[in-house]
Amino acid sequence: MNEKHGIEITDEMRQAMDTARRQGLQKDLRTPAAKIRIQAEGRYASAEPGW
């Protein structure tokens, strides 16, 4: 039980919070990953096959 608010936090609630946190982190990482991919594709577009 959360004494500060007088509520009981169930395992389902903990799992839901963990899932939400993970999805938020995944969303945060999509933008930099896309930028890196775009830069890498542009950088090596003219390279010999199998560089």
Side-chain angles (χ1 to χ4, degrees), residues 1-50:
M1 179 178 285
N2 184 329
E3 277 106 39
K4 183 176 181 182
H5 298 288
I7 59 171
E8 184 175 341
I9 299 174
T10 64
D11 288 339
E12 286 180 337
M13 293 170 80
R14 290 181 198 279
Q15 186 175 7
M17 289 186 288
D18 186 46
T19 299
R21 186 180 306 118
R22 288 182 189 186
Q23 288 175 346
L25 290 173
Q26 288 174 351
K27 184 179 177 183
D28 290 346
L29 291 173
R30 285 187 191 130
T31 301
K35 289 180 181 180
I36 291 168
R37 184 172 38 255
I38 289 168
Q39 290 176 354
E41 288 172 355
R43 180 174 296 159
Y44 300 115
S46 62
E48 296 286 326

